[in-house]
Amino acid sequence: MSTGTGSAGSRSLHTFEDEIAPVRRAGALLQQQLTPPSSPEADDPDSSSSARTTTFLEGIVGSYVPSGALSCPSTVIHGGETWHAIKGDGGAQGGDFVVRCRICAIDGRTATYVLRGGKSSNAWRHFENYAASAHVGDLQRRRHAAVVAYRASKTHPRKPAAGVTAGPIDGFLRTARSRVMTPAQARPHHLRFVLLMVMSLSPFALAGNQYLLEFVQGLGVSYDPPAASTVRDVLLDLFVFLTDQLRAQIKRLQGRYRGLPFFHLVTGLWTERHGSGSYGSLVLRCVDPDGVSIVELHLGVVPFAGRHDHINIQAWTSRLLRRFGVRSSDISSSTSDSGSNVKKALSGLWPRWVPCAAHTLHLAVKTALGATGETATARFERRNEPSRSSATRQSSGNPAAADLLGRVRKISNHFHKSSASFAMLNSVPFPGDAEPRKLITESPGRWGSTYLALVRLFTLMPRMIGFGDLRDLTVAQRRQRLGREDWGQLRHLIGVLQPAYEACIALQSSSSTVADAFKLVGSLRRTMRLPAFPCPKTFDKPHAVGRDDILKFLEEDERRSDVMELDNRLYKHQTVPVKATRTVDGLRSGAATFISVVQRELDRRFFNPAHSSKNWLANDAVLAATLVTPGGSAMLRKAAARVGQDNPIDCAHAAVVATAESLIDASASAPARQQELEQEPCQAQVDSFLATYSASVNTRVLKFWSARGDEYPLLMLVACALLGASGSSAASERDFSTAGMVLRKDRTTLLATHVEMHCFVRFNAHLVPSDLSAIPVLTQAARSGARASMRAISVDMPVDGGLSGDSTSSGSDAFLESTDEEE
C-alpha cells in the first residue's frame, strides 16, 4: 500500500519485489504488499494450499486456505495516515509500503509495518524479535524462528544494502548485488578488504557504499564487499590472530635472551581535545639477537580509565604488559616525555627511566625563543582578572624573538583563514619558483614547527613583499607585512635554529639507540658554543628547487658556493658571528639571546647534577648503552669533562655487569668452544672490549656487534639487551598521530574498542601471513567472548590475559594532544 498523500521521492517497486521473491519461491509469502481483492494479485497462489508449500513451512504452518484474517483490506490506518492498496504493478513509483505478517495473521494477530523505500529491515526485525520473545506462544515462536533460520541460510541471497544519499548519479546505478561466492571463497577477499580499510583509515560504512559496489562490479569481479557486521567480525578475527602472533614473538625473544631484561618501553598518555576519552600507547623496543637489528612491537592505542596519576598509570601499564605475556623482569628501561605523573609511574616500576630527548630539546628551544612557560590555565585566569597588573605576568626570556614570532603567527593565521588573501599572495609573480604554496602555521606543541614556519615564510619573501604593494588591499591585509629589520631577525633565527631542528629530526629515528641520542645531544651542545653560524643571505631567488635540481647544482658547483638547503630549495648563506665587532655585524638580538639561553637550557635539562633524572651522565640506561658502543667510554669521559662532572665510567661498568647477572646459564648444552668462551666472566669481557675498542669505528654499533658474536658471545647478548633503549618517545607519538586520524569528526560514533582494534591491526599488519587461510575463523561464541573481555583497563580489575578495549563511544572530535608540563 502507498500512503494517501503520495510520496514525491518514492522508489521503484522492484526493490521490494526482489526482496520477497525468494520467499515466494519457498512456498510462503512472509511479507505481503496490501492489494485490493479485485487485483489479480489478490489470489496469490503461494497463499493457497498448493504443493509448493511442502518445501518449506508445511511442518510448521500446515495447509490453510484464505480467511478473513488473511484477506487484504482496501485501506489501512497506520501512523495516523490512511494507506491505500496499490493497483497494478505500481509503475516506476514504489515509495514506502505497509506490509502485514501473514504468519501472525494465521494465529489471529494482525500487525502492520512500514518499509521505507521498499526495504524490509523493519519487518525482518519483527521476525527476529518475536522469535526470541517470551510473550508469544510456542507455535508462533516456532513459526517465526523458522523464518529467521530460513533467512540466515546460506542459500538465501543477501538483501540489498542501503545506498548513499540520493544524488544525480543514482539514476545510473542499476546493477543489483548478487553474491555468487561461497563464504569460504569470499573469506580471503573479506580479509583483504578489511586490511584495505584499516590501512587507508576508512570507516566501516565503506563496505555498504553503493558507489563502491558499482565500482567493484564494474571491474568484472563477482565479489561483493561484506556488510558492516561482517567487517566488524573480520576485524576482530584479525585482531585476535595478530595478538597471538605478537605474543608468540615476545615468547621467542624471551627464550633468546635467557633471563636478561631486554625490552625497552616507550609510552605516552593522551586525551581527546573536545571530550573526556583518554588513551595510552605502549611500544616495546629491543634488538633481535638473530638479526641484530632493532624491532618495535606496538601493543596498540588502548583506552585509559581513571585519573592520570602515577598509581593508575602503573596499574594500566602492568596489566597491558601482562596481556601480551611481558614480565616485569623483561623490562630494562622506559622512555616517555617529562610529565611528572608518567615519570613517577615508570621510574617507580623500572629505575632506568630515560627522558625523551626530542621532547626535552623542544622545551629547551621554546624557552630560548621566549616562551614564558605559562600554562593554559594560568593564561585563562589572568585574562579573567583584569585588575592584575602586568608586573605579575611571567616575563619572556627573549622578548625580541617572542615579538617576531607573535607577528609571524598572526600573518600565517590570516592567510590560512582568508582564501582571498591566499589567492592574491600566489598571484604575485615569483620567477624561478612559480609553485603555489601556503604559509605554515606554528603549533607550539609540535617538535620543529617553529623552524619550519620561519623557513616557509623566508622562502616566500618576494611574494610577501609584492603582496604589500598590491592595490585595493583591506586594512587587515595591509597589516600582514614585516619590516627590513624583521626580515634580518628572521634570517638569523633560521641560522641558529637549524642545528637544533636537525638534531630533533635525527632523534626521532626508529633505528637509533640511546647512545646515538647521547652523541647527538653532546654534538648539539658543542655546536651551540660556536663563535659564528651560517645564516641565509638577504633574499634572492633559489639556485635550485627540488631534490634532483639540488643534486645537479651541487655536482656542477663543486663546493665553490656557500649554499644551504631550506624547504627543498637551495640558497646562498653567509657566516654571521655571534658577537659584533667593529667591522662585522653580529647576530640580531633575538638570535643572540637564543644562543645564550639555549646553552643554559641544554645543560639544565641534560647535564644537571642537582637532579639525577635530568643528568644523562648519571642515567644507568644511557651509560650502559654508551659503554658497549665502540669508543663510547672515550665519549663519556669527554662529555663529563666538558660539563665539569666526574668520570662516569665506573657507574657505566657497574650497570653493564648488573644487567649480565640476570643471565640464565645455558652453557651446559652449548658447543665446547662456546662453553669455553662463556666461562669467562662478563666483567672480564667488558674490560677486554674497552681495551681493544677504545676508539670509535666507522661501522654502526649494531653491525659491529653482529660481526663480534664469536669474539664476545656473552657480552654480545648483553650489549643487544642494552642497545634497544630509546632516546625518544617518537614511536608512541606516531601511534597517536594515527589514532588522531582514525578519531576524526565524521567518526565520532566509533567505539573505543574499534579504535583499539583498528590501530593495533594497522601497526602490526606486517605480521599478516601471505596465505590468508592461516587466519582462523572465530565462532560467534568466541567473538562474543572476545568482545565482552574488551574493556578499559582500570586499577580495580584483575590482572589477566584477556583482550583490551572499551565499549564506550567517543562523542567528540578526537584530535589528541599531550601534556607538556614538567615537574
Side-chain angles (χ1 to χ4, degrees):
M1 277 197 175
S2 60
T3 182
T5 58
S7 176
S10 60
R11 298 186 180 181
S12 174
L13 180 61
H14 73 85
T15 58
F16 175 72
E17 294 295 337
D18 290 345
E19 179 68 19
I20 64 175
V23 182
R24 283 181 176 151
R25 287 193 295 269
L29 183 57
L30 305 184
Q31 295 180 351
Q32 173 79 17
Q33 177 184 334
L34 297 181
T35 56
S38 59
S39 172
E41 296 182 8
D43 295 330
D44 191 341
D46 287 337
S47 65
S48 63
S49 57
S50 62
R52 282 177 292 176
T53 59
T54 58
T55 60
F56 178 45
L57 294 179
E58 181 182 14
I60 299 175
V61 179
S63 302
Y64 62 94
V65 295
S67 63
L70 296 177
S71 61
C72 180
S74 59
T75 60
V76 171
I77 303 298
H78 182 88
E81 296 180 345
T82 301
W83 293 70
H84 301 272
I86 295 179
K87 297 182 180 180
D89 59 0
Q93 302 298 324
D96 298 340
F97 296 90
V98 168
V99 297
R100 300 172 65 204
C101 174
R102 183 168 279 190
I103 296 181
C104 285
I106 296 174
D107 204 30
R109 300 173 183 268
T110 302
T112 56
Y113 302 93
V114 174
L115 305 185
R116 300 297 182 186
K119 305 300 180 182
S120 60
S121 59
N122 194 322
W124 284 127
R125 192 178 299 113
H126 160 73
F127 287 104
E128 294 169 353
N129 292 341
Y130 268 67
S133 176
H135 301 289
V136 298
D138 181 66
L139 175 61
Q140 188 177 8
R141 187 182 302 111
R142 285 190 290 111
R143 289 170 174 172
H144 286 81
V147 173
V148 174
Y150 173 73
R151 178 176 179 249
S153 65
K154 296 180 181 179
T155 59
H156 190 73
R158 179 178 302 185
K159 66 178 182 178
V164 297
T165 304
I169 198 173
D170 288 345
F172 299 94
L173 299 178
R174 301 298 184 191
T175 306
R177 297 184 67 182
S178 58
R179 185 180 64 191
V180 297
M181 291 183 176
T182 64
Q185 292 172 328
R187 168 78 176 177
H189 298 286
H190 289 346
L191 290 166
R192 294 188 188 96
F193 183 76
V194 171
L195 285 172
L196 172 65
M197 288 198 297
V198 168
M199 302 309 292
S200 60
L201 303 175
S202 301
F204 295 155
L206 181 67
N209 187 285
Q210 189 173 358
Y211 302 128
L212 174 68
L213 303 179
E214 186 72 11
F215 170 76
V216 172
Q217 292 170 353
L219 298 176
V221 297
S222 57
Y223 169 68
D224 285 337
S229 58
T230 306
V231 170
R232 289 190 290 269
D233 289 343
V234 175
L235 179 64
L236 184 60
D237 292 352
L238 278 169
F239 175 73
V240 173
F241 173 81
L242 292 177
T243 299
D244 293 339
Q245 292 292 108
L246 201 59
R247 287 172 176 166
Q249 189 169 355
I250 289 172
K251 188 174 182 180
R252 178 186 66 84
L253 290 169
Q254 289 171 337
R256 287 288 286 113
Y257 273 101
R258 296 159 46 188
L260 288 175
F262 65 98
F263 273 136
H264 303 268
L265 185 67
V266 179
T267 186
L269 292 176
W270 298 68
T271 303
E272 296 180 26
R273 172 176 289 183
H274 302 296
S276 58
S278 297
Y279 294 85
S281 168
L282 282 183
V283 180
L284 295 176
R285 272 174 53 105
C286 70
V287 175
D288 191 338
D290 294 334
V292 193
S293 60
I294 291 181
V295 296
E296 291 184 348
L297 306 180
H298 293 256
L299 305 190
V301 176
V302 183
F304 185 96
R307 297 182 57 187
H308 289 188
D309 56 38
H310 73 281
I311 297 177
N312 286 359
I313 295 173
Q314 285 181 345
W316 181 88
T317 304
S318 300
R319 283 160 172 78
L320 184 56
L321 290 175
R322 287 288 298 272
R323 286 179 173 178
F324 288 88
V326 181
R327 302 168 302 216
S328 181
S329 58
D330 294 332
I331 305 299
S332 176
S333 69
S334 59
T335 303
S336 69
D337 60 21
S338 299
S340 59
N341 53 351
V342 182
K343 177 174 67 177
K344 186 176 182 181
L346 296 181
S347 59
L349 292 174
W350 306 285
R352 293 183 179 181
W353 173 78
V354 181
C356 173
H359 179 83
T360 305
L361 179 57
H362 169 70
L363 294 179
V365 170
K366 282 181 61 177
T367 302
L369 287 174
T372 62
E374 188 179 25
T375 63
T377 303
R379 286 194 299 269
F380 177 80
E381 293 176 351
R382 175 167 53 80
R383 291 168 184 167
N384 286 273
E385 296 182 19
S387 60
R388 295 175 60 182
S389 63
S390 59
T392 61
R393 302 178 183 179
Q394 299 186 37
S395 59
S396 170
N398 192 347
D403 177 70
L404 175 64
L405 291 176
R407 282 183 287 148
V408 168
R409 294 185 191 111
K410 291 181 179 179
I411 292 174
S412 301
N413 290 332
H414 171 81
F415 283 99
H416 267 262
K417 294 178 181 179
S418 174
S419 57
S421 297
F422 171 71
M424 294 171 64
L425 178 64
N426 283 287
S427 67
V428 177
F430 193 174
D433 192 5
E435 177 187 357
R437 290 181 296 152
K438 284 186 176 182
L439 296 177
I440 296 178
T441 55
E442 180 194 6
S443 177
R446 189 174 295 277
W447 304 337
S449 65
T450 301
Y451 172 79
L452 295 176
L454 294 179
V455 166
R456 176 60 60 86
L457 184 61
F458 172 78
T459 60
L460 291 176
M461 183 191 294
R463 283 182 177 163
M464 291 297 302
I465 296 175
F467 177 84
D469 296 334
L470 294 177
R471 295 182 178 181
D472 301 327
L473 294 179
T474 64
V475 175
Q477 290 172 337
R478 293 186 182 279
R479 294 174 181 168
Q480 316 309 321
R481 60 192 313 168
L482 296 175
R484 182 182 297 274
E485 179 64 23
D486 296 328
W487 288 113
Q489 188 88 261
L490 185 143
R491 292 188 296 107
H492 290 178
L493 279 177
I494 290 175
V496 299
L497 273 173
Q498 190 177 47
Y501 171 76
E502 293 177 350
C504 188
I505 294 299
L507 288 169
Q508 300 175 43
S509 172
S510 59
S511 61
S512 65
T513 66
V514 71
D516 296 330
F518 180 79
K519 184 177 180 179
L520 278 170
V521 171
S523 299
L524 178 63
R525 183 183 182 275
R526 296 195 301 273
T527 300
M528 289 293 104
R529 283 166 169 74
L530 292 175
F533 286 83
C535 300
K537 283 187 174 181
T538 302
F539 188 83
D540 193 2
K541 68 179 182 179
H543 289 286
V545 178
R547 181 178 181 274
D548 295 338
D549 290 342
I550 290 176
L551 294 177
K552 181 179 179 182
F553 176 86
L554 295 176
E555 182 181 359
E556 296 175 352
D557 186 71
E558 297 179 352
R559 298 186 178 182
R560 291 190 297 268
S561 303
D562 293 330
V563 292
M564 63 190 308
E565 187 270 334
L566 299 173
D567 197 15
N568 206 23
R569 287 156 174 79
L570 211 59
Y571 299 95
K572 290 183 179 180
H573 74 77
Q574 60 185 9
T575 301
V576 181
V578 176
K579 296 182 180 179
T581 62
R582 291 183 177 180
T583 57
V584 181
D585 293 334
L587 292 175
R588 297 292 201 275
S589 58
T593 304
F594 173 86
I595 293 296
S596 61
V597 175
V598 81
Q599 291 174 359
R600 181 176 67 251
E601 288 296 313
L602 289 177
D603 286 346
R604 185 176 74 87
R605 296 175 184 273
F606 288 99
F607 305 103
N608 191 341
H611 298 278
S612 58
S613 63
K614 297 181 180 181
N615 187 7
W616 281 40
L617 290 172
N619 190 304
D620 285 351
V622 177
L623 295 177
T626 306
L627 189 68
V628 296
T629 302
S633 58
M635 184 167 57
L636 289 175
R637 285 193 296 267
K638 291 179 181 178
R642 291 189 182 104
V643 299
Q645 297 187 27
D646 296 334
N647 190 344
I649 297 298
D650 292 340
C651 294
H653 195 287
V656 174
V657 174
T659 301
E661 291 176 353
S662 303
L663 186 68
I664 299 175
D665 186 12
S667 60
S669 60
R673 174 57 180 165
Q674 186 174 351
Q675 292 182 31
E676 181 181 350
L677 291 173
E678 291 197 2
Q679 286 176 357
E680 184 181 12
C682 179
Q683 183 172 352
Q685 293 192 22
V686 172
D687 294 338
S688 174
F689 165 76
L690 294 178
T692 307
Y693 300 99
S694 58
S696 60
V697 296
N698 293 329
T699 59
R700 293 186 62 85
V701 60
L702 295 181
K703 186 176 181 180
F704 168 86
W705 280 112
S706 177
R708 301 300 188 283
D710 295 336
E711 186 178 355
Y712 302 103
L714 180 59
L715 183 59
M716 180 265 187
L717 193 62
V718 175
C720 288
L722 294 170
L723 289 171
S726 175
S728 169
S729 62
S732 183
E733 303 290 338
R734 284 190 285 266
D735 282 3
F736 281 106
S737 296
T738 301
M741 291 185 288
V742 173
L743 291 168
R744 54 181 189 259
K745 281 187 176 181
D746 60 338
R747 304 184 74 177
T748 54
T749 58
L750 188 65
L751 298 180
T753 51
H754 293 158
V755 176
E756 178 183 352
M757 290 190 293
H758 199 130
C759 293
F760 184 82
V761 172
R762 181 181 174 89
F763 301 151
N764 297 283
H766 61 281
L767 299 177
V768 176
S770 57
D771 182 10
L772 296 181
S773 62
I775 301 177
V777 181
L778 299 180
T779 63
Q780 288 299 329
R783 287 169 179 159
S784 299
R787 289 192 178 96
S789 66
M790 295 179 69
R791 58 191 184 277
I793 301 177
S794 63
V795 180
D796 299 329
M797 70 175 293
V799 178
D800 55 21
L803 299 176
S804 58
D806 188 8
S807 59
T808 59
S809 61
S810 169
S812 68
D813 178 20
F815 181 86
L816 306 173
E817 58 182 11
S818 63
T819 302
D820 286 345
E821 289 97 1
E822 287 188 296
E823 185 180 20

